[in-house]
Amino acid sequence: MKLVDAHCHFDFPRFDGCRAGELEAALHNGVVGLVIPGVRSSDWDRVKSTAQAHTGLFYCLGIHPWYIGEHSERDLEALESLLSARPERCIAIGECGLDRLHGDLASQYPWFEAQIELASKLNFPLIIHSVKTHDEVHATLRRHNWNGKALLHGFSGSYQQAAKLVGQGCFIGVGGVITHPRARKTRETVARLPLESLVLETDAPDMAPEGIVAGNNSPAYLPRILECLAEIRSEQPEYLASVLFSNTEELYGHSLW
């Protein structure tokens, strides 16, 4: 089996001094690629250099709703300039989106909408962060006539919300949350969704699977998520791995291995 981690913050300091070992462990477990999202302009160079230093790593650039206060219109202009050059291994815009539990939604909307428009203009997929805003994200994508591909990362909403987002061009990120028995709603949702709408992610170092210390997640744990998903859906892990890998390449429009 070969797996790809569709969303992993591998540039974060948690991995400083141990990236080679973490990658070796991940590869040993069948993880042949991973995608690093960018969250703020001050980190973009680090994200790029981390991806370009290792085989099988790809990256995205974007402005996360938690960090909009650090940015100005010039950062959006810089983002467009960087992405227009089509840098090697840069395969999406994000992480961007909305978060009801962190900051003011009214302030977040212009940044999310600007990145939707930029992704449409440059034909890049989107990486979307959404916390208790799935309906708002769907409405915003519709309002902007979004017809591209997007990853709704770290999804934990209802089946009805997920189905609407899938209909709007979103893939649903399946991560460590499904390994926690208390996450009944999310587990039921990923069991019902079409397999072709799902991709695997760790969100490492966050969103740890059951039994892993918070903040210590790793791409090496991606097979645990696959095994749990196979159990939830009553499908063979080998079959799931093949389809999920293809889904991730379709999402990003890029060969990831």
Side-chain angles (χ1 to χ4, degrees):
M1 291 189 297
K2 63 179 187 289
L3 305 172
V4 60
D5 189 342
H7 186 107
C8 174
H9 294 282
F10 204 57
D11 64 304
F12 277 17
R14 144 76 174 87
F15 297 105
D16 288 353
C18 63
R19 281 190 183 83
E22 292 280 1
L23 281 176
E24 184 177 353
L27 185 59
H28 179 75
N29 288 340
V31 182
V32 299
L34 59 87
V35 181
I36 308 170
V39 297
R40 52 185 170 189
S41 60
S42 60
D43 293 347
W44 290 344
D45 284 343
R46 185 183 71 196
V47 169
K48 177 180 178 180
S49 63
T50 301
Q52 294 184 336
H54 304 278
T55 301
L57 271 59
F58 302 86
Y59 72 100
C60 322
L61 298 178
I63 299 171
H64 190 289
W66 291 6
Y67 305 112
I68 58 173
E70 300 177 15
H71 296 82
S72 70
E73 183 71 25
R74 283 183 293 182
D75 294 298
L76 288 171
E77 294 169 358
L79 181 61
E80 179 169 1
S81 178
L82 286 167
L83 294 170
S84 295
R86 302 285 168 177
E88 185 181 7
R89 301 203 204 181
C90 184
I91 57 176
I93 292 178
E95 179 176 355
C96 60
L98 302 172
D99 191 324
R100 191 178 298 279
L101 301 184
H102 198 290
D104 174 52
L105 276 185
S107 299
Q108 295 171 19
Y109 267 109
W111 295 91
F112 181 35
E113 293 174 325
Q115 289 173 90
I116 293 172
E117 290 296 320
L118 184 57
S120 293
K121 178 179 179 179
L122 298 180
N123 194 30
F124 272 97
L126 274 173
I127 311 303
I128 301 174
H129 171 100
S130 174
V131 176
K132 297 191 180 298
T133 56
H134 298 327
D135 292 334
E136 290 83 357
V137 165
H138 174 260
T140 305
L141 291 172
R142 263 191 94 176
R143 188 166 62 250
H144 286 265
N145 299 310
W146 175 253
N147 60 6
K149 301 286 196 303
L151 169 61
L152 203 298
H153 135 75
F155 183 83
S156 60
S158 69
Y159 170 77
Q160 290 75 17
Q161 289 173 319
K164 285 170 61 178
L165 288 160
V166 168
Q168 198 62 46
C170 293
F171 289 78
I172 301 301
V174 180
V177 66
I178 69 165
T179 67
H180 298 272
R182 68 179 182 275
R184 186 172 58 189
K185 182 172 66 174
T186 304
R187 289 163 62 94
E188 290 174 351
T189 295
V190 300
R192 295 177 62 190
L193 286 171
L195 179 57
E196 291 73 21
S197 69
L198 305 179
V199 300
L200 292 180
E201 61 172 345
T202 63
D203 195 32
D206 298 319
M207 211 162 76
E210 185 183 30
I212 303 302
V213 176
N216 202 38
N217 197 7
S218 164
Y221 298 137
L222 198 65
R224 295 193 184 192
I225 301 167
L226 174 69
E227 291 166 8
C228 184
L229 183 63
E231 181 181 342
I232 290 169
R233 293 181 62 93
S234 299
E235 294 173 321
Q236 291 299 313
E238 294 80 4
Y239 170 69
L240 283 181
S242 176
V243 176
L244 293 165
F245 189 91
S246 296
N247 292 351
T248 312
E249 291 194 324
E250 181 182 351
L251 161 65
Y252 287 114
H254 198 283
S255 173
L256 298 175
W257 185 56

